[in-house]
Amino acid sequence: QVQLVESGGGLVQAGGSLRLSCAASGSFNSINTMAWYRQGPGNQRERVAEISDARSTNYADSVKGRFTISRDNAKNTVYLQMNSLKPEDTAVYYCYAIATIRPGGNMYQYWGQGTQVTVSS
């Protein structure tokens, strides 16, 4: 099993910055793709950014140039640096990871519990 624990959410004014962290723990062989999703009020959950174990990245068009995803494989941690925040970025942000539980084994998906980000105008 893999546990994902997020931190770093909070309240910030428009134009401000926040940095989210998500640490993976538990029993696994490797963490493959890691990503951040978000779900705003009345909206479906959407992928914000993802990063592979080789550190290739993809971003939603709405956050390109403002958000940066990174990871520390030694710490099994993924980060999301959010700059130039806008009120429409307000959402619960969820960490997501795909992990291989044992060498040559199947891959499984895991979610964190979510952290609230609120951007005031």
Side-chain angles (χ1 to χ4, degrees):
Q1 282 289 352
V2 177
Q3 294 79 44
L4 300 176
V5 179
E6 300 115 332
S7 60
L11 173 64
V12 65
Q13 288 188 331
S17 298
L18 284 174
R19 189 191 194 209
L20 305 182
S21 300
C22 171
S25 63
S27 180
F28 53 87
N29 183 63
S30 63
I31 300 291
N32 309 105
T33 295
M34 301 187 83
W36 290 95
Y37 284 72
R38 68 185 181 187
Q39 187 166 15
N43 296 332
Q44 290 187 331
R45 191 173 296 189
E46 63 172 350
R47 188 178 64 192
V48 175
E50 70 173 11
I51 184 167
S52 71
D53 51 359
R55 293 188 172 84
S56 66
T57 58
N58 283 294
Y59 295 92
D61 287 343
S62 59
V63 307
K64 282 181 180 176
R66 301 189 297 121
F67 291 10
T68 302
I69 190 170
S70 60
R71 64 189 289 172
D72 184 334
N73 288 338
K75 296 181 179 179
N76 295 311
T77 298
V78 63
Y79 306 95
L80 186 67
Q81 178 66 43
M82 304 184 292
N83 298 328
S84 302
L85 282 160
K86 304 175 181 179
E88 51 263 44
D89 294 317
T90 295
V92 178
Y93 284 70
Y94 297 90
C95 179
Y96 167 88
I98 298 175
T100 302
I101 302 305
R102 60 182 181 276
N106 294 332
M107 294 186 291
Y108 298 89
Q109 303 177 68
Y110 298 91
W111 292 91
Q113 80 286 354
T115 184
Q116 177 70 45
V117 171
T118 302
V119 184
S120 63
S121 57

